[in-house]
Amino acid sequence: MDRLMKWMNEKFAPRLEAFTNNVWVSSIQEAIMVTLPMIFIGSFVTLISILKDFIPGMPDLTPITTFSFGLLGIFIAFLTPYTVMQKKGRDKIKLIAGATGISLFLMLLKPVTNEDGTIQFIMERFGPSGMITALLVGVAVAVVLNVFNNFSFFKKDSNLPEFIMEWFDFLVPIAIILTLGWVLVYQLNFDIFNLIVSVFEPVNALGQTLWGFLLFNMIGVALYSFGVSPWVIIPIFYAIWIPAIEQNAALVAQGLEPVNINTFETFFSGWLGVGGLGATLPLIILFLFAKSQKLKSIGRATLVPSLFNINEPVIYGAPIAFNPILMIPMWINGIITPIIVYLALDLGFAQIPSKVFQLWYTPIGISTYLMSGFNGLILLAVVLAIIFAVWYPFYKIYDAQELKKEQEEAKQQ
């Protein structure tokens, strides 16, 4: 265990940090994170729509979701190349890069042009279903513009105004990008959107299996236990989570049952993120009854944040990170709870979430009921009992160790 801890601390964590700090990786992360307010809008609409059951004649708020969460692809197609250019210090071209991303993205959606001049798009392609396409478009645009960074038609001592030279220099990479899209869509008749969706179907299918669901949770828990914030991988997970919940919502709207278990809602609004990733709220509650003054103080200080699913204070304050006594139960819960939750949802014991609800800071239990009803609360009670049982013996060992340290320090004073 000591060797593993040393390797993770000295080798793995620094390399992972270097990877996540890479301009391209961090730009994709930031682009997705910037869209979160638009995703949250869909969650607020879900909350407000509950009132329709009690207020007759309440208007349909679905269009608000359609023109916020439902335009996610367009936002990412703009933000990805924009952010890459910004991080590379190319502020003069970042807006043009974003606009080019939107242009190529819309072209690849393969709209139908009618004889009267009107254009028809498939609306669902603008939203989460187009997220992967939008990311790839954004990266492709950024790559081409980056290659042409040092290209110029003009000599450095040219007398032309700088903005005129920049306009002409930007023409070449933009023309290449849009011409490539034109050739693929209008000359070769490729449906790039369907192609990309088909390529990623196996990945999405794997993510919706028990093993994929377990792997998602375990990766996040393992990183967190070694002090690496799981938010570095959330953008990757969103690529599966967001289309999955959109499909669930579409199935329910058609009178069918939702099928995708691996969603953000299942993780953070349902049963796994009890106090945050790693299910740390039960541990904090146990800390409140600790004999060690240190652990009792940590419990009091971290209880309120944890109720709103903010558990960085206890992860780094207890600490759980790089603490084998507390890392092990965190891993055990990271394996047991997703298996129980997946099987319960798959067997129909509780309802699979089908509403967009990205308000991760909503206390667990409230969000669980909104997503899955009374049976969801029963499943949560079972999960909580198991989580408490796993944490308890390790908490007792850690409490005893900390109490002993405090007693020894008291004798030395």
Side-chain angles (χ1 to χ4, degrees):
M1 189 66 180
D2 289 341
R3 289 183 179 181
L4 174 63
M5 300 289 287
K6 183 177 180 181
W7 179 81
M8 289 293 297
N9 194 27
E10 296 180 1
K11 301 291 184 181
F12 179 76
R15 289 175 182 174
L16 181 63
E17 184 178 3
F19 172 76
T20 55
N21 288 334
N22 177 275
V23 168
W24 297 89
V25 176
S26 62
S27 294
I28 292 173
Q29 292 174 342
E30 187 171 320
I32 294 176
M33 291 304 177
V34 168
T35 65
L36 286 181
M38 307 306 290
I39 296 173
F40 287 165
I41 290 295
S43 303
F44 282 121
V45 169
T46 297
L47 274 175
I48 297 172
S49 295
I50 295 172
L51 298 176
K52 289 183 68 175
D53 297 334
F54 308 98
I55 304 176
M58 183 176 174
D60 181 15
L61 301 177
T62 303
I64 296 176
T65 299
T66 300
F67 293 100
S68 54
F69 180 68
L71 297 179
L72 191 62
I74 290 182
F75 303 147
I76 290 177
F78 173 85
L79 287 166
T80 302
Y82 175 93
T83 308
V84 171
M85 294 299 105
Q86 185 179 52
K87 287 183 177 292
K88 284 183 170 290
R90 303 188 61 196
D91 290 335
K92 292 180 180 179
I93 198 175
K94 63 184 182 182
L95 286 173
I96 296 176
T100 306
I102 292 177
S103 297
L104 182 59
F105 177 68
L106 293 177
M107 191 184 297
L108 295 185
L109 295 186
K110 201 176 182 181
V112 176
T113 303
N114 300 315
E115 293 182 358
D116 61 358
T118 59
I119 298 179
Q120 290 181 321
F121 286 92
I122 299 175
M123 190 65 195
E124 69 176 23
R125 293 188 171 192
F126 286 98
S129 297
M131 187 172 176
I132 297 296
T133 303
L135 282 172
L136 294 177
V137 163
V139 170
V141 169
V143 167
V144 173
L145 292 176
N146 193 56
V147 168
F148 280 85
N149 182 33
N150 297 321
F151 170 82
S152 179
F153 286 111
F154 308 95
K155 295 181 180 180
K156 292 183 177 180
D157 56 354
S158 174
N159 293 324
L160 288 172
E162 186 178 356
F163 70 92
I164 296 292
M165 293 189 291
E166 289 174 352
W167 285 351
F168 279 95
D169 289 343
F170 296 159
L171 288 177
V172 174
I174 294 172
I176 291 174
I177 291 167
L178 296 183
T179 300
L180 179 61
W182 172 77
V183 169
L184 290 173
V185 175
Y186 293 99
Q187 302 307 306
L188 299 179
N189 202 33
F190 278 180
D191 190 334
I192 305 299
F193 182 89
N194 275 340
L195 177 63
I196 291 173
V197 170
S198 298
V199 168
F200 279 87
E201 271 183 0
V203 177
N204 290 328
L206 177 62
Q208 294 303 330
T209 64
L210 171 60
W211 299 113
F213 186 66
L214 175 61
L215 183 63
F216 264 53
N217 190 64
M218 198 56 212
I219 288 174
V221 168
L223 288 176
Y224 217 3
S225 68
F226 284 107
V228 180
S229 173
W231 284 105
V232 302
I233 57 169
I234 290 296
I236 300 173
F237 289 177
Y238 264 126
I240 289 180
W241 283 343
I242 293 180
I245 194 65
E246 183 195 39
Q247 184 184 17
N248 283 353
L251 288 171
V252 170
Q254 297 170 30
L256 303 174
E257 293 295 323
V259 297
N260 298 314
I261 293 174
N262 190 0
T263 64
F264 179 98
E265 287 72 14
T266 302
F267 268 80
F268 297 106
S269 301
W271 302 273
L272 298 183
V274 182
L277 189 62
T280 52
L281 179 58
L283 177 64
I284 292 172
I285 293 173
L286 290 173
F287 279 171
L288 296 176
F289 301 96
K291 295 179 180 178
S292 162
Q293 290 302 311
K294 171 191 170 182
L295 297 188
K296 186 171 290 187
S297 297
I298 290 173
R300 290 170 179 168
T302 60
L303 178 61
V304 173
S306 190
L307 288 173
F308 294 93
N309 302 320
I310 301 170
N311 64 345
E312 282 83 358
V314 72
I315 291 291
Y316 302 112
I320 295 174
F322 289 102
N323 182 346
I325 297 175
L326 298 182
M327 289 168 67
I328 292 174
M330 193 174 183
W331 295 345
I332 295 172
N333 280 322
I335 295 172
I336 294 176
T337 53
I339 292 175
I340 293 172
V341 170
Y342 188 95
L343 293 177
L345 295 179
D346 190 48
L347 294 173
F349 178 79
Q351 183 181 347
I352 297 173
S354 60
K355 302 173 183 176
V356 178
F357 195 86
Q358 305 273 320
L359 304 179
W360 52 266
Y361 44 79
T362 304
I364 205 81
I366 296 175
S367 57
T368 307
Y369 179 76
L370 293 174
M371 291 296 97
S372 193
F374 184 71
N375 279 10
L377 291 179
I378 296 175
L379 176 58
L380 177 61
V382 173
V383 169
L384 281 172
I386 293 171
I387 295 172
F388 267 105
V390 171
W391 278 118
Y392 186 75
F394 295 92
Y395 146 75
K396 291 295 289 184
I397 294 171
Y398 191 47
D399 184 32
Q401 285 188 359
E402 292 301 311
L403 178 62
K404 184 178 180 181
K405 288 180 184 178
E406 291 171 4
Q407 290 172 342
E408 289 176 351
E409 291 174 359
K411 289 179 181 178
Q412 294 174 1
Q413 293 177 354

